[in-house]
Every structure is written in structure tokens, then in C-alpha cells.
Amino acid sequence: MADGSDSTRPGTSSVSHGGAPTGWLDFSVNLNPCGPPPAVRDAIARARYDAYAHLDARDAERELAAGAGVPASHVMLTAGATEALRMAAAAFLAAGDRALVVGPTYGEYARAATLASATLEEVRAAPPLFAPPVSELVSLVASAPPRAIFMCDPNNPTGRALRPGELGAVLDALPERTLLVLDQSFAPFASPSLPASELISRRDVILVRSLTKSLAIPGVRVGHVVARPELLDAMRLVRDPWAVGAHACAVARVAAWELPSAAIEAVRTWRTQLAEALLRLGLSPLPSDANFLLVRVGPQAADLVAALGYRRIAVRGCTDFGLSEHIRVAVRPPPEQRLLLAALADVREELRW
């Protein structure tokens, strides 16, 4: 276990980033609730892994590039989004460089920058709605340009997305030497933003994309980066050899970055149903553009997470995001939601909130 906890005992969680033991009802991880597409399941089942030839990512990169509307030279397959973040930090940050993180957000941005010996600074969205702090970010970049900015769009854990005009304002504000690392891992669940070709042509931008989330395959570490070739070349210099496995290469050859319209509509419908039900229970879900909800519980948030854990139901506590009174709840299909809501009703009586 990543945190040394006992996964067999109710009330414990398996890893710091979410994820529940086998057999639990898991609302702690932000996977596509529609599950893996049939073509992806078939690709994993048929994948060969008995020769280095099966690790050739070029066909997969051509397919992903076509979906992004860019040349194949502008795409690099990665072992999930986290490998891409580490490579970006290692390639472009040095001791004494300033890295700006837009929070509250995924902790691996700060970790990657810290491992590169950069000086870390955060511009933070304000409660209670946590709207993207675009004005504050633009002002800070103008007054003290950082070497790199790490942003998640839609953001984890708030679920808030940048509107095209807001993203355009950030791009326009970037100084010549500032790199924008834009994590789009949850973008398939949100309304379309600016196209990849426009984003990477306007400034030094690296788009980080996780197929793990949209395809609901956490056991297959697969993602990709979209950026100009010279940026990708610098990242390749710091990557490990054979980082992407044969199953990931096989998946990426058949996977689409964009989700089918039916899946997008299902996620939106289920998200609305979940938010309305949580409101009826006296909780405060925030508006979300992603496949999860940030929910304000209050001072009893940790007790709620533990009480659900004893019922073998996992939700994500948000203390490590600096949000001790919040939880994050993934959107799941209605039958699973009903089980969660029934447990929450019991817990509400137990905790007397």
C-alpha cells in the first residue's frame, strides 16, 4: 500500500490519490462511469508483449495526432499524465526557477517542480465556488514572470473549467520564456475548449492528456502530450527507455481522445442527479464541468469519509488539497449512486449534522 494502510480493514483507503480496496463501492477515483469501450477491451486482450516491437508507439501517436488535428511529430505517448508532468518539469525547470501552480489542485504538479529544484508558488482559487483565478494569474505573471505554469482544465478537485475566453487571456499574458503545462485529463467530460492546434501554436504550451481517466482503465498507464516538436525533443532527453508498455500502445492505437456524445450526455445527467440528491441531504456540491463533484461537508468531513469507509464505500477526502471541510465524489451510474446516497442518509443520522 502506498500509505502503509491496511486495505482489508473497513475505514481505510488504499492510496493517497484515491482508490479503494477490491470489493468496495468506489467514488474516490475520477474514471469514466460508462466504463472502457469495447474496442479498448479487445485491444488489451489481444495485445502482444513478447517482443520489443510491441512497444513501438508510432502508430498510436499518428492516431492520437489525427484526433488532435496536429501532425504526428507533435504527439508523444506517455505512461499516463504523471510521467508527462515529471518529464516537463525535469526538461524545463532548473534550480532557482520559479514554477507557478494554479490551486487548489493535483499535488503532482508541485511535486514535479520540487523534484526539479524549482521555487514553487501558488495562485489559489477562492471559496466557496473556486472559479478559476484568471485575473489574479494574469496579474501575477505580468509582475513576476515564472519559468513555468501548471494548470489543470477542468481542475481537480474543483471540477471548474476555463472558458475559451479565459484560456485565451492566459495565453495572451504568457511572456516569451514562460511555459504553460496544461493538464487536460478531464477535458473529454467538459464542453469543447480551444483546439489543440491553436493552443500549441500561440505560445510555449504543453498539453498533457490522460487516456486512463476517459477510458476507465487505471491499470493501463497511458496518456499523451501534444506540443511542438522541439518541446517534445527536450522531454524525450529526460524520459526512461521503454516507459510505455505494450498494452498502453495497443490501447492508444484504437482509442479516441474525445468521448461519444452518448457518454458525455450520460455523465452530465448523472452528475446533475447526484448534485441534486446531495443538496437534499444538506451537503453543498459545487458547480462542476468534470466527472466528479467537490462537496463542502463542513468540520465533519473526515468523520464522514471514515463512516462511509466502515461501510466499504470510498469517497475522496480533500485535506491534502488544503480543503479539510470538503470531499470529492466521482460521478457513477445511478444504481451505485443510490447505494451511496442511502449510506449518506444513515451517516447523517449517525453524525447528527
Side-chain angles (χ1 to χ4, degrees), residues 89-113:
F92 300 108
L93 291 175
D97 284 343
R98 288 178 57 249
L100 187 62
V101 174
V102 182
T105 196
Y106 184 44
E108 290 302 311
Y109 310 137
R111 180 172 179 269

Side-chain angles (χ1 to χ4, degrees), residues 255-270:
W257 168 244
E258 295 184 353
L259 292 175
S261 57
I264 294 173
E265 184 57 33
V267 171
R268 288 175 178 169
T269 299
W270 297 345

Side-chain angles (χ1 to χ4, degrees), residues 17-151:
H17 291 311
T22 300
W24 284 40
L25 186 59
D26 194 358
F27 285 82
S28 71
V29 290
N30 303 326
L31 302 176
N32 184 346
C34 298
V40 168
R41 294 182 184 273
D42 291 344
I44 293 172
R46 295 195 310 268
R48 296 284 302 276
Y49 43 85
D50 54 353
Y52 279 102
H54 307 312
L55 301 177
D56 189 338
R58 287 175 293 183
D59 286 345
E61 289 170 348
R62 280 191 287 269
E63 292 295 325
L64 293 168
V70 299
S73 59
H74 290 58
V75 170
M76 177 173 61
L77 197 66
T78 63
T82 302
E83 189 208 13
L85 297 171
R86 184 196 63 79
M87 285 192 293
F92 300 108
L93 291 175
D97 284 343
R98 288 178 57 249
L100 187 62
V101 174
V102 182
T105 196
Y106 184 44
E108 290 302 311
Y109 310 137
R111 180 172 179 269
T114 300
L115 288 173
S117 299
T119 300
L120 193 66
E121 190 172 346
E122 183 185 51
V123 56
R124 195 170 178 89
L129 296 181
F130 297 98
V134 175
S135 297
E136 296 89 338
L137 175 62
V138 168
S139 297
L140 185 57
V141 168
S143 63
R147 178 65 183 96
I149 301 170
F150 291 85
M151 295 183 68

